[in-house]
Amino acid sequence: MNNMRGDPLAVSTRIVLFGDNDALPHLLLATDLVEDLEVVRSVAEMDAIIPALRSGWVFISEYTGGESLPDVIHGLRPRLPRCRLVALSPMDDSDHVVACLRAGADDFLSFRFPIQLPARLSRVFADFHLNRPRRSMDKRFKTLADAAPALVWITDDSGNFIHFNRPWLDFTGRRVEAELGQGWLNALLPEDRSRFCNEFEDHFKQREPFRIDFRLRRQDGLLRWLTCQGIPHYEDDEFFTGYIGSCLDISEQHEAETLLAYRAITQAALAGFGRFALSQHNLQEIRQEAACLLCDILQLEFSEVLLFDPPASDTLVPAFINGFPAGFVHAPA
């Protein structure tokens, strides 16, 4: 097929499509970026033409022979050292992309959404002209993500979580298979899970950045406060591909802010009680107000307040002013 537009990114060298998907030849030729296409549908046919393939492009897709796409690429890479291998797949999750690139593919092209294929194929050819292979870029991104102190995640354009970096997996102590999709949400408290899902869905629909704090269970079983930020990602500044986000552990900061807020509330309450006690109230009214104050601040039942032992007030008052230690539970005798 001739390139009617004369697109400078069109490729005129030999292009081979290996696979038995009947729709793919039509999809590739319809982009007007491929002048001619040689379709190879079986392993035997591929074996026959390999000796004559000195250079050019080989697009490889899944076929009914049974081998996975990464396995097919792994077998062809050493036999086609000077050819540019491009994996073609309807899937675009990051694990599948990385597996194909690690197997030896120079690039990865998803045809999940055929309308996006021309722009994505243009990107593949542009990277070739700029000597910018996808394999090296994905490898650099993965290396940077794994070296980052933050917990990094990626979604696809449907909102499914398709990648988590090494620090995330080390933090949760879970296998990546358990985290993918929506699996990681199981490590959140139910109330945090519901709040996160609602806010994430709202921002995802609007393609807006978001920030939300939640508690995630660490590998040692402790719940830690994380602040999570996500931004939409676009391929070639045009096609929305999903969200990229990161999380940071802010437990110490959250605990410090909680303690400061508690002390501020306590001091304000004590000041209010002081003003009440100095006004014209009898002893019974003052005791009643003090009991109500303890109920509010310590979140106790009125009957529990009455069970406090007066001689223990020397420990109660400092605790009331400074805040009880983490995990304190009042259990009346």
Side-chain angles (χ1 to χ4, degrees), residues 128-301:
F128 169 73
H129 286 296
L130 295 173
N131 194 26
R132 190 176 59 187
R134 172 77 174 271
R135 178 169 49 185
S136 64
M137 290 190 293
D138 277 62
K139 184 177 181 180
R140 286 198 298 269
F141 171 78
K142 182 174 173 54
T143 300
L144 287 172
D146 285 346
L151 314 184
V152 178
W153 50 261
I154 301 174
T155 78
D156 61 15
D157 56 5
S158 299
N160 292 311
F161 289 79
I162 60 174
H163 180 74
F164 296 88
N165 70 339
R166 175 51 53 187
W168 177 289
L169 301 178
D170 292 341
F171 183 91
T172 62
R174 289 155 57 96
R175 295 177 60 86
V176 66
E177 293 81 5
E179 305 290 77
L180 295 176
Q182 308 297 324
W184 73 276
L185 294 171
N186 294 326
L188 297 181
L189 290 183
E191 58 268 31
D192 288 0
R193 185 186 311 133
S194 176
R195 181 168 51 85
F196 176 87
C197 289
N198 290 336
E199 293 201 26
F200 177 77
E201 183 177 351
D202 290 342
H203 287 83
F204 195 91
K205 288 179 179 177
Q206 300 298 323
R207 306 288 193 260
E208 294 177 342
F210 71 90
R211 175 178 176 178
I212 183 173
D213 296 347
F214 54 75
R215 288 159 291 183
L216 181 67
R217 194 170 300 280
R218 200 168 58 184
Q219 52 86 19
D220 57 6
L222 293 179
L223 286 170
R224 303 291 291 178
W225 276 100
L226 302 183
T227 184
C228 177
Q229 298 186 70
I231 58 172
H233 178 259
Y234 293 85
E235 187 174 274
D236 302 321
D237 297 324
E238 184 176 359
F239 296 112
F240 173 69
T241 61
Y243 269 65
I244 297 177
S246 63
C247 301
L248 292 175
D249 190 336
I250 57 166
S251 298
E252 286 74 16
Q253 174 186 340
H254 191 274
E255 291 170 2
E257 291 174 351
T258 301
L259 180 58
L260 288 174
Y262 175 84
R263 288 181 175 177
I265 294 173
T266 301
Q267 291 170 359
L270 287 174
F273 175 72
R275 291 190 295 270
F276 180 88
L278 291 175
S279 59
Q280 294 181 352
H281 295 284
N282 58 43
L283 182 59
Q284 181 61 31
E285 291 173 332
I286 294 175
R287 291 180 59 187
Q288 181 77 14
E289 182 68 15
C292 291
L293 180 63
L294 285 173
C295 289
D296 291 340
I297 298 298
L298 302 182
Q299 297 182 349
L300 301 174
E301 297 294 333

Side-chain angles (χ1 to χ4, degrees), residues 27-42:
L27 288 175
L28 290 173
L29 291 171
T31 64
D32 284 339
L33 294 170
V34 177
E35 292 187 350
D36 196 8
L37 187 64
E38 183 177 350
V39 181
V40 177
R41 297 183 179 277
S42 69

Side-chain angles (χ1 to χ4, degrees), residues 16-60:
V16 174
L17 172 60
F18 178 37
D20 55 9
N21 186 322
D22 292 333
L24 279 178
H26 303 288
L27 288 175
L28 290 173
L29 291 171
T31 64
D32 284 339
L33 294 170
V34 177
E35 292 187 350
D36 196 8
L37 187 64
E38 183 177 350
V39 181
V40 177
R41 297 183 179 277
S42 69
V43 175
E45 291 180 50
M46 193 68 195
D47 289 339
I49 69 168
I50 281 179
L53 272 176
R54 303 292 182 181
S55 62
W57 294 73
V58 179
F59 289 83
I60 309 168

